[in-house]
Amino acid sequence: MHTVIVICTGFVLLGLCAVVGYLYGGKPALAPAVLAFLPIWLAGAGFNMVMGVKSAGYSVAEETPMFFLVFGMPAIVAIGLWWWLR
């Protein structure tokens, strides 16, 4: 359940980046705002992985596939949006 919540958080963050980009610069700023989401989400997914290793007691080998899932799903959507908006 935690993984689903974190992935949904990534999609919410992607939406917030898009809204801020649109409010800041209109439609031309959407594509750069979506790209700006990627390093922010990389840091967030990395933090989630570190917390899983330190607090939850999982090993790095156990957390790595979850990191790729948590980071990858919103990132793939963001790259697709960037491709469509550019």
Side-chain angles (χ1 to χ4, degrees), residues 25-47:
K27 199 169 184 180
L30 278 174
V34 168
L35 277 184
F37 159 79
L38 291 173
I40 297 169
W41 187 236
L42 180 64
F47 177 75

Side-chain angles (χ1 to χ4, degrees), residues 26-69:
K27 199 169 184 180
L30 278 174
V34 168
L35 277 184
F37 159 79
L38 291 173
I40 297 169
W41 187 236
L42 180 64
F47 177 75
N48 181 62
M49 181 178 172
V50 168
M51 293 308 294
V53 171
K54 288 194 177 234
S55 297
Y58 294 111
S59 69
V60 174
E62 291 172 320
E63 277 291 314
T64 300
M66 299 313 293
F67 167 78
F68 286 123
L69 178 69

